Amino acid sequence: MNTNFHSSRVAAVQASPIYMDLNASIDKAIDLITEAAKNGARLVAFPENFLPGYPWFVWLGTPAWAMQFMNDYHKQALIVGSEQYQRLEKAAADNQIQVVMGFTEKDNGSLYMSQAIIDESGKTLATRRKLKPTLAERLVFGEGYGSDIAVHDTSIGKLGALCCWEHIQPLTKFAMYSQHEQIHVAAWPGFSLYTEVTPAIGGEVNTAVSRTYAVEGQCYVIAPCAIVSQDTIDLLCSSEEQRELLKIGGGFTRIYGPDGASLVHPLNEDEEGILYADIHLDAITIAKVAGDPVGHYSRNDVTRLIFNNQSLRPVQRNEVPLFDNGIIISSEDEEA
């Protein structure tokens, strides 16, 4: 077997944002992008809603109680194409590194759980939105579309991304696999919420979900994960009951190979840092010899996926020309 594979170094961030402070969080993100590039990474991936932080407050009280944070959360959300967003593109270009950034996207009156995929020239390849926010998240965020389930050609391989519990939706995963994804970013918000309530949103279960994605899809999985800081708890938690629901830490950043192998030694749950791994795309070929779910290991005569990858925005504007006695009048003619 030829083991002289061409490799690329990838990086996964485990850190807390400067909570509810967009500009300061972008400053921190740029520092992390620069650090990853200096350490040889060609791609760096950030947690879900890293900018300006995940809305933990929707899990800590009633909807009426959570509304006290909503105005500030809207104000600190990131607008695609804004001056702040362009700083991320510039950081990618300056450091010649691909960036996958999790952020809260503001689009007029609505917010979305989004990920930006920016190449090493600073060009945005895509901004995608989480297809279905989970449970309490639906108080804050709108939904994505089939067009957000996409894989993109990059200089280091076919790259895709999903957020959090999109990874437990089997048909969504299959739609990604069908595009022959090679490098996948699985972004997570952190796992220090409800640790005494249910394991379903805990670190052990959800790192298993990331690992399963790798072995199911025979792709590399970069799984960045945020941590909850003391400052965040001080801002959001005003009772002992709330402090029992949300705790410091929760970092479970991981990187997995296409055979499900763990490629990095994890950081402590409350430790900030960047994890690195060298990936070899030829290893995907070897993994797919065993099972390609959209190729030789499929049974499409038994089960098939209907995948609508269109963007269905709520308003479609038809630019219909004006007519006068059967003659088309252009807008210029009308103005004249």
Side-chain angles (χ1 to χ4, degrees):
M1 181 184 301
N2 178 16
T3 58
N4 186 25
F5 300 144
H6 173 71
S7 67
S8 299
R9 176 160 289 189
V10 296
V13 169
Q14 178 167 300
S16 64
I18 311 302
Y19 196 74
M20 294 263 266
D21 187 331
L22 177 61
N23 288 324
S25 293
I26 290 175
D27 289 342
K28 184 170 184 176
I30 290 173
D31 287 343
L32 290 164
I33 290 167
T34 303
E35 179 183 344
K38 285 181 178 178
N39 284 304
R42 298 187 62 192
L43 180 149
V44 58
F46 284 80
E48 183 181 47
N49 295 98
F50 187 76
L51 306 173
Y54 180 87
W56 300 109
F57 50 85
V58 295
W59 300 89
L60 299 176
T62 66
W65 178 87
M67 287 300 291
Q68 67 182 294
F69 299 102
M70 287 299 296
N71 190 49
D72 286 343
Y73 198 66
H74 267 258
K75 288 181 177 179
Q76 295 301 318
L78 181 61
I79 298 172
V80 175
S82 65
E83 181 180 349
Q84 291 114 321
Y85 186 89
Q86 291 172 18
R87 292 185 64 204
L88 297 174
E89 293 178 315
K90 185 176 186 299
D94 288 346
N95 291 283
Q96 297 185 312
I97 187 173
Q98 297 178 26
V99 176
V100 180
M101 176 61 69
F103 67 104
T104 295
E105 177 188 353
K106 184 173 176 63
D107 184 359
N108 294 295
S110 295
L111 300 181
Y112 299 91
M113 308 181 81
S114 296
Q115 290 167 288
I117 300 175
I118 304 171
D119 73 12
E120 62 270 36
S121 72
K123 176 184 177 182
T124 294
L125 301 181
T127 55
R128 66 167 308 273
R129 295 170 175 175
K130 189 175 184 178
L131 201 63
K132 189 76 173 181
T134 304
L135 198 59
E137 293 170 357
R138 293 196 281 274
L139 176 66
V140 183
F141 298 108
E143 299 178 344
Y145 300 92
S147 56
D148 294 307
I149 306 303
V151 172
H152 308 276
D153 288 321
T154 77
S155 60
I156 64 171
K158 293 180 179 295
L159 172 65
L162 295 175
C163 286
C164 198
W165 264 22
E166 288 184 303
H167 295 90
I168 68 166
Q169 295 178 312
L171 300 183
T172 297
K173 293 193 294 181
F174 194 80
M176 295 291 286
Y177 301 156
S178 73
Q179 298 170 70
H180 310 293
E181 187 179 28
Q182 295 171 309
I183 306 164
H184 177 77
V185 173
W188 301 94
F191 301 111
S192 64
L193 178 75
Y194 290 12
T195 55
E196 307 301 323
V197 178
T198 174
I201 56 174
E204 184 177 354
V205 168
N206 290 285
T207 52
V209 169
S210 294
R211 193 170 200 169
T212 298
Y213 192 103
V215 76
E216 279 185 349
Q218 297 89 45
C219 61
Y220 286 95
V221 170
I222 308 164
C225 183
I227 62 176
V228 175
S229 67
Q230 183 65 58
D231 288 345
T232 301
I233 291 175
D234 291 343
L235 176 66
L236 301 181
C237 298
S238 56
S239 70
E240 285 305 312
E241 181 182 12
Q242 290 173 327
R243 291 176 187 274
E244 285 300 311
L245 295 177
L246 182 66
K247 300 177 180 178
I248 294 172
F252 282 80
T253 296
R254 301 288 190 272
I255 303 177
Y256 296 108
D259 58 355
S262 181
L263 302 183
V264 292
H265 183 74
L267 298 165
N268 293 331
E269 292 179 33
D270 60 352
E271 181 182 1
E272 293 201 343
I274 304 176
L275 296 181
Y276 299 90
D278 294 320
I279 66 172
H280 314 267
L281 297 189
D282 284 353
I284 294 173
T285 301
I286 304 304
K288 286 191 177 292
V289 169
D292 181 356
V294 295
H296 67 81
Y297 205 52
S298 68
R299 281 296 305 272
N300 55 18
D301 58 322
V302 178
T303 55
R304 284 184 289 173
L305 171 68
I306 299 172
F307 175 30
N308 179 6
N309 66 348
Q310 300 301 304
S311 176
L312 301 175
R313 301 299 183 190
V315 176
Q316 178 178 331
R317 292 181 173 83
N318 292 325
E319 301 297 335
V320 180
L322 300 174
F323 288 84
D324 183 11
N325 294 326
I327 300 173
I328 297 177
I329 302 174
S330 70
S331 58
E332 290 83 359
D333 292 336
E334 184 183 26
E335 291 172 359

